Amino acid sequence: MTRGKRTVAALLLAAAVLAADQASKYAILHVLDLPERGIVPVVPPLLDFAMTWNHGVTFGLLQASHGLGQMLLAAVAVAVVAGLLVWLRRAETTPTALALGAIAGGAVGNVVDRARFGMVVDFVHVHWAGFDPFPFVFNLGHGVMPPTPPQHVAALVDLIRGQ
């Protein structure tokens, strides 16, 4: 696949991830009314929807609940998205470009949340029957980020090679 076609495919994937992310958050907030309900079991004992307003970055790190801190986090998120798009355009392989597109789509979804709410809507909680080795709540935008180390290694190799 040519670089131009890879870029277009990755941008289309980013748009699809952004649309799915925002649609899921709309459903969580306005259809399921999770802010009022708090926690809804989805696949007991593995998965709940648990309403969380994330004032920080991924998994609630670097909390910034007011003013300047929120604007700084939003600015950093926009800069990260810009960097991802530059990297995506230079990606040498289709899997790398698509991985970066998925990440960018999820990141833009969180930027939209920060612009609308001043924080990010998180709601997916994975656990095992009371055992919670991963005690974080996340959203669909995080969930589509490529979790496989080979994809991360491929992307880093492309970056190091200047591709």
Side-chain angles (χ1 to χ4, degrees):
M1 183 179 286
T2 66
R3 184 180 307 265
K5 288 182 180 180
R6 270 195 304 276
T7 300
V8 168
L11 291 174
L12 289 172
L13 179 58
V17 168
L18 172 60
D21 176 70
Q22 291 299 297
S24 69
K25 291 171 182 175
Y26 178 87
I28 287 298
L29 295 173
H30 302 291
V31 177
L32 194 58
D33 194 25
L34 200 58
E36 184 66 31
R37 297 174 71 183
I39 297 175
V40 174
V42 178
V43 183
L46 300 173
L47 176 70
D48 295 333
F49 287 160
M51 187 66 222
T52 303
W53 292 102
N54 184 349
H55 296 270
V57 295
T58 302
F59 307 128
L61 302 172
L62 302 175
Q63 292 288 310
S65 59
H66 297 319
L68 183 60
Q70 289 175 343
M71 288 188 292
L72 181 60
L73 285 178
V76 168
V78 169
V80 166
V81 169
L84 286 169
L85 294 176
V86 169
W87 188 2
L88 181 156
R89 177 66 180 104
R90 295 177 179 171
E92 197 59 31
T93 65
T94 301
T96 298
L98 293 175
L100 292 167
I103 293 167
V108 170
N110 288 348
V111 169
V112 169
D113 286 3
R114 287 191 191 286
R116 290 180 64 205
F117 308 116
M119 59 199 121
V120 176
V121 176
D122 286 337
F123 58 91
V124 179
H125 181 220
V126 179
H127 57 89
W128 177 255
F131 177 63
D132 201 359
F134 186 73
F136 304 108
V137 179
F138 57 97
N139 61 51
L140 184 67
H142 296 117
V144 299
M145 292 179 182
T148 62
Q151 288 175 319
H152 293 294
V153 170
L156 286 173
V157 168
D158 278 357
L159 180 65
I160 292 166
R161 290 175 43 206
Q163 304 295 321

